[in-house]
Amino acid sequence: NYRVGRCSFNVKENPASPTDDYWHHISYINQLSDTSFIPQLKGIVSADITKENPERCIDQLQYLDYLFIAKEDLFMDILELGKMVKGHVIMHHPHGSSISDGNTVEDYSTPEELFLSDINVLGAGDYFASGVIRSMLTGSNLKDSVIKAHHIATNLLKENLL
C-alpha cells in the first residue's frame, strides 16, 4: 500500500468555536496555531496527529482521551506517549493497531484478508479514527471498536477503488 496526494491547498485557519457536545475530535492537532480552546472542551476529546512538528501539541496531549496516530507518524515510544494523554493512544498501521494507556501496550493484528496491497491508502487513518469513534458512540468498548474500525476502513478503501 502507499499514499498519494496531489493537490495544492490554500490553507486558511479559522478560529475554533467549539460547542458543548458529547465527543470532540480535533484533526491534525499539531498543525493548529491556536490550541487554547482544548482545555475548555467538555466531554470526550480525541485528536489525530501528523509527523510534522509533533512538539507543537505536547502541552495539549494531557487533555486528550484518545490520540490517533499512524505508525509512520509515531515520534516517540507509544508507551511514553500513552503517559502524556489522559486516556489512550491508538497507533494504527495496515496490519493492525497498538493501544497504550501509558502503563501497558496491547497489540491487535488484523486478519490477512483485511490487508490491502498495492493501493493508495490516503484517508485510511481518517476512516479508521471515525470507525473507532462511531463504534464507541454506539456502545462498544475500545478494543472492539478498534477491531471494527479496521473492517470499516478496509471496506471504505475498497469502495473507493470501484
Side-chain angles (χ1 to χ4, degrees):
N1 53 33
Y2 58 94
R3 291 179 189 230
V4 174
R6 293 185 185 106
C7 59
S8 176
F9 292 109
N10 293 323
V11 177
K12 177 182 177 190
E13 186 176 323
N14 295 311
S17 55
T19 58
D20 285 341
D21 213 331
Y22 182 74
W23 195 303
H24 302 274
H25 183 75
I26 305 163
S27 294
Y28 308 131
I29 189 173
N30 60 315
Q31 299 301 312
L32 297 176
S33 60
D34 180 12
T35 57
S36 62
F37 68 94
I38 296 172
Q40 301 161 21
L41 295 174
K42 306 276 190 269
I44 298 170
V45 180
S46 62
D48 54 43
I49 189 170
T50 63
K51 64 181 157 195
E52 295 84 17
N53 307 311
E55 69 282 352
R56 291 179 65 188
C57 69
I58 295 294
D59 293 340
Q60 300 302 326
L61 296 180
Q62 64 183 316
Y63 302 109
L64 301 182
D65 295 286
Y66 303 99
L67 175 65
F68 295 93
I69 188 165
K71 184 175 185 176
E72 64 195 42
D73 297 339
L74 199 61
F75 59 94
M76 66 188 322
D77 180 74
I78 189 172
L79 194 60
E80 293 304 310
L81 190 56
K83 292 176 183 176
M84 300 176 83
V85 300
K86 72 176 182 180
H88 294 84
V89 174
I90 305 163
M91 187 270 301
H92 54 88
H93 54 86
H95 292 284
S97 296
S98 297
I99 304 168
S100 178
D101 62 1
N103 296 310
T104 62
V105 177
E106 185 174 354
D107 295 314
Y108 168 73
S109 296
T110 57
E112 193 60 36
E113 65 269 11
L114 291 182
F115 180 73
L116 302 174
S117 60
D118 297 325
I119 67 158
N120 178 4
V121 294
L122 188 64
D126 295 325
Y127 291 152
F128 176 78
S130 64
V132 170
I133 293 168
R134 180 188 183 282
S135 183
M136 291 189 69
L137 286 172
T138 58
S140 294
N141 64 38
L142 180 57
K143 183 178 179 182
D144 289 342
S145 295
V146 166
I147 292 167
K148 289 177 186 178
H150 280 287
H151 290 270
I152 290 168
T154 298
N155 288 335
L156 288 169
L157 286 168
K158 284 179 179 179
E159 282 178 25
N160 288 329
L161 292 174
L162 302 176

